[in-house]
């Protein structure tokens, strides 16, 4: 019997520069011959790296994807600020960074590490009165987005290069979802009094998915395959709860089970290794959060 979810799951793409996340979705629709394609965690056109894409019923799972942490490799140029906080924007101001000491740079980086309040980049996908901030900026509007709490758990300099009046920093950053690396570049430049912007960005991790899982688009065009089946995606993203065949049948119908003293969300996996549903205890019930394999399939 053919598995009705054989074409459902995740494709982890190594996104190239110069493409929007929507462009990637469009290509995968053609490669996999389906309209049911969606992505999680938008990447800017200039950015490369991990973009998680859902196919078929995998698109429904994207809303439950555990991606609370992300990691990036980036290059920050000190000595010039731009209106987009990256290399694609126009210069707004700048001072020579040639005399900055490595110690002063590291000190200000430490002030941008840990739990901080961050003002998102003006050129972002955040909606302001129903319109995305980047659309307002490119239409000539002044956009000011309120600061919000984020966590930067790692902000390490891997290389420092001096280029005349500029200092280029290669950095590795691990952070909470919603953190803007462009904003870190901007804020570091402002703290040092010289201006700063991002010149390169590569996302290396999204939750449990890394570059090791990612495939470039030419490879997917030649051989369109899932990176992870829906079964594998649930079990990779959440702790596993083994359930019996009878329990799996009940969960597939959206029914609840007796509580087991669990904390958090679990992937309920049947004896055949199939991920049936995401479950979470609610009061005196172990209830479904998302049914991957509904009985109606």
């Amino acid at each position: 019997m053919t598995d009705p979810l054989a074409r459902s799951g995740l494709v982890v793409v190594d996104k190239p520069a110069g493409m929007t996340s929507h462009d990637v979705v469009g290509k995968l629709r053609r490669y996999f011959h389906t309209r049911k394609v969606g992505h999680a965690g938008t990447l800017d056109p200039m950015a490369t790296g991990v973009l998680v894409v859902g196919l078929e019923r995998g698109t429904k799972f994207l809303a439950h994807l555990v991606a609370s942490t992300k990691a990036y490799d980036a290059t920050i140029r000190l000595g010039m600020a731009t209106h987009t906080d990256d290399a694609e924007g126009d210069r707004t101001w700048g001072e020579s960074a040639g005399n900055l000491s490595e110690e002063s740079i590291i000190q200000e980086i430490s002030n941008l590490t840990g739990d901080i309040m961050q003002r998102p980049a003006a050129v972002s996908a955040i909606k302001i009165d129903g319109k995305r901030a980047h659309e307002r900026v490119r239409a000539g509007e002044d956009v000011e987005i309120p600061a919000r709490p984020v966590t930067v758990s790692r902000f390490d300099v891997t290389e420092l290069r001096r280029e005349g009046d500029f200092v280029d920093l290669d950095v590795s950053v691990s952070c909470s979802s919603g953190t803007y690396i462009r904003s870190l570049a901007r804020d570091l430049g402002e703290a040092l009094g010289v201006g700063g912007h991002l010149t390169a960005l590569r996302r290396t991790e999204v939750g449990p998915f890394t570059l090791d899982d990612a495939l470039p688009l030419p490879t997917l065009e030649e051989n369109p395959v899932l990176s992870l089946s829906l079964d594998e995606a649930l079990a990779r993203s959440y702790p596993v709860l083994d359930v019996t065949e009878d329990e799996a049948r009940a969960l597939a119908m959206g029914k609840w089970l007796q509580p087991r003293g669990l904390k958090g969300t679990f992937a309920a996996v049947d004896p055949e290794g199939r991920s049936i549903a995401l479950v979470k205890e609610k009061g005196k019930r172990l209830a479904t959060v998302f049914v991957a394999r509904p009985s109606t399939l």
Side-chain angles (χ1 to χ4, degrees):
M1 181 179 175
T2 303
D3 184 352
L5 292 184
R7 288 168 46 83
S8 295
L10 300 180
V11 178
V12 184
V13 179
D14 187 348
K15 188 188 90 65
M19 293 183 67
T20 67
S21 299
H22 185 70
D23 290 337
V24 173
V25 166
K27 285 188 175 293
L28 293 187
R29 283 175 175 160
R30 293 196 297 276
Y31 300 167
F32 286 87
H33 305 291
T34 177
R35 298 295 302 171
K36 293 183 179 178
V37 182
H39 68 82
T42 302
L43 270 180
D44 294 335
M46 72 166 278
T48 67
V50 176
L51 180 69
V52 180
V53 180
L55 265 71
E56 301 293 345
R57 193 156 182 80
T59 61
K60 304 286 187 183
F61 174 61
L62 292 179
H64 306 280
L65 181 61
V66 176
S68 56
T69 59
K70 297 178 181 179
Y72 299 86
D73 289 338
T75 301
I76 296 171
R77 169 156 282 194
L78 298 174
M80 184 176 83
T82 71
H83 83 291
T84 58
D85 302 326
D86 62 30
E88 296 181 347
D90 298 328
R91 175 190 171 102
T92 54
W93 69 281
E95 300 289 341
S96 175
N99 293 325
L100 286 178
S101 68
E102 185 171 348
E103 291 74 21
S104 65
I105 294 171
I106 297 302
Q107 176 57 50
E108 293 301 340
I109 283 177
S110 70
N111 294 335
L112 292 170
T113 305
D115 296 328
I116 62 172
M117 293 296 291
Q118 183 186 74
R119 177 166 48 87
V123 181
S124 68
I126 294 172
K127 286 188 175 181
I128 301 174
D129 295 330
K131 188 175 180 180
R132 296 198 184 279
H134 66 79
E135 294 173 347
R136 294 185 177 277
V137 169
R138 290 181 174 120
E141 297 182 37
D142 289 328
V143 173
E144 188 76 15
I145 303 173
R148 56 186 64 186
V150 300
T151 300
V152 179
S153 53
R154 179 169 62 101
F155 191 170
D156 295 336
V157 176
T158 57
E159 188 174 343
L160 183 152
R161 297 181 299 279
R162 297 184 184 274
E163 307 282 348
D165 288 335
F166 300 115
V167 172
D168 288 339
L169 304 174
D170 291 340
V171 300
S172 290
V173 178
S174 297
C175 55
S176 60
S177 186
T179 304
Y180 285 86
I181 311 303
R182 278 177 296 157
S183 295
L184 290 178
R186 175 201 66 205
D187 293 345
L188 179 60
E190 288 181 356
L192 290 164
V194 297
H197 68 280
L198 203 64
T199 61
L201 181 65
R202 182 162 177 74
R203 189 157 65 191
T204 57
E205 297 178 20
V206 176
F209 309 107
T210 72
L211 283 172
D212 289 339
D213 300 304
L215 294 170
L217 285 174
T219 300
L220 287 165
E221 182 177 18
E222 185 176 324
N223 183 26
V225 294
L226 294 172
S227 301
L228 298 97
S229 67
L230 194 55
D231 293 325
E232 293 168 333
L234 266 68
R236 172 86 75 90
S237 304
Y238 290 90
V240 169
L241 172 68
D242 292 321
V243 296
T244 66
E245 288 185 14
D246 288 342
E247 290 171 334
R249 198 172 299 114
L251 292 173
M253 298 171 64
K255 294 181 178 180
W256 53 272
L257 305 178
Q258 291 297 321
R260 306 186 184 191
L262 304 177
K263 292 185 179 181
T265 302
F266 285 73
V269 177
D270 74 5
E272 295 184 23
R274 297 178 301 182
S275 296
I276 305 301
L278 297 178
V279 296
K280 185 177 183 180
E281 294 201 357
K282 301 175 182 178
K284 296 183 178 180
R285 296 181 175 186
L286 179 62
T288 58
V289 176
F290 164 68
V291 180
R293 292 179 170 274
S295 57
T296 51
L297 286 178

